[in-house]
Amino acid sequence: MDKLRRVLSGRDENEELGLTSQVLDASTLSYSTRVKWFVICFASGILCSILGTALLFLPNGIKLFAAFYTLGNIAALASTCFLMGPLKQLKRMFEKTRLIATIVMLVNILLLIGWHKKVLALIFCILQFLAMTWYSISYIPFAR
């Protein structure tokens, strides 16, 4: 379990435990609670995205689609804050290897919320999905 904690927190096995360990251990949520909330947040994000996609086919469902699909993607993205912490998540989002994917993803989130034509909304949705995939793959070593 400690090895999994080190991997998820970004620490190497041979790194000194020092202050980083004290800050990690001093958090208000236990590790099992953080993992549970990660799963809950990620699953609700997927559910919202699927619900948004289903609502797209209703008459005038483009606004509901944009809201639910974007809320789902934000929830799935925010779920990792439970594992890493919000500040570390933001720092990692804007690292050199993820900067373009993060910007493309955020721009498409804003465009999807503000657009009301189905064809363009679908294009922004696909671009947002591809950017989220690119962003997610950037966390896998040697996958980029």
Side-chain angles (χ1 to χ4, degrees):
M1 190 65 127
D2 285 337
K3 187 173 183 176
L4 180 62
R5 285 184 194 181
R6 282 193 297 272
V7 169
L8 290 176
S9 67
R11 289 187 282 161
D12 290 332
E13 286 185 37
N14 55 4
E15 182 182 330
E16 287 186 29
L17 293 178
L19 184 61
T20 308
S21 175
Q22 292 173 355
V23 171
L24 188 62
D25 291 340
S27 67
T28 58
L29 297 175
S30 70
Y31 185 73
S32 62
T33 303
R34 287 186 283 155
V35 170
K36 288 174 189 173
W37 279 105
F38 162 76
V39 170
I40 290 168
C41 196
F42 190 76
S44 64
I46 291 173
L47 184 66
C48 281
S49 295
I50 292 171
L51 180 62
T53 304
L55 292 173
L56 176 65
F57 301 105
L58 294 176
N60 295 323
I62 192 72
K63 290 180 183 180
L64 290 172
F65 163 73
F68 277 100
Y69 188 79
T70 301
L71 181 66
N73 279 340
I74 290 171
L77 184 65
S79 67
T80 56
C81 288
F82 286 104
L83 296 178
M84 288 191 267
L87 291 177
K88 193 171 190 178
Q89 172 73 16
L90 285 174
K91 285 180 186 177
R92 285 191 170 185
M93 281 178 72
F94 292 100
E95 285 179 351
K96 189 174 122 178
T97 57
R98 295 180 193 90
L99 183 62
I100 295 172
T102 301
I103 291 172
V104 169
M105 182 178 53
L106 294 175
V107 166
N108 281 305
I109 286 173
L110 293 174
L111 288 173
L112 184 60
I113 290 173
W115 221 266
H116 302 293
K117 296 195 185 267
K118 276 191 179 183
V119 175
L120 288 174
L122 285 174
I123 290 171
F124 295 142
C125 173
I126 292 168
L127 290 174
Q128 185 177 343
F129 174 78
L130 292 174
M132 280 287 278
T133 304
W134 181 15
Y135 173 80
S136 299
I137 288 174
S138 72
Y139 278 98
I140 302 170
F142 304 111
R144 31 183 190 267

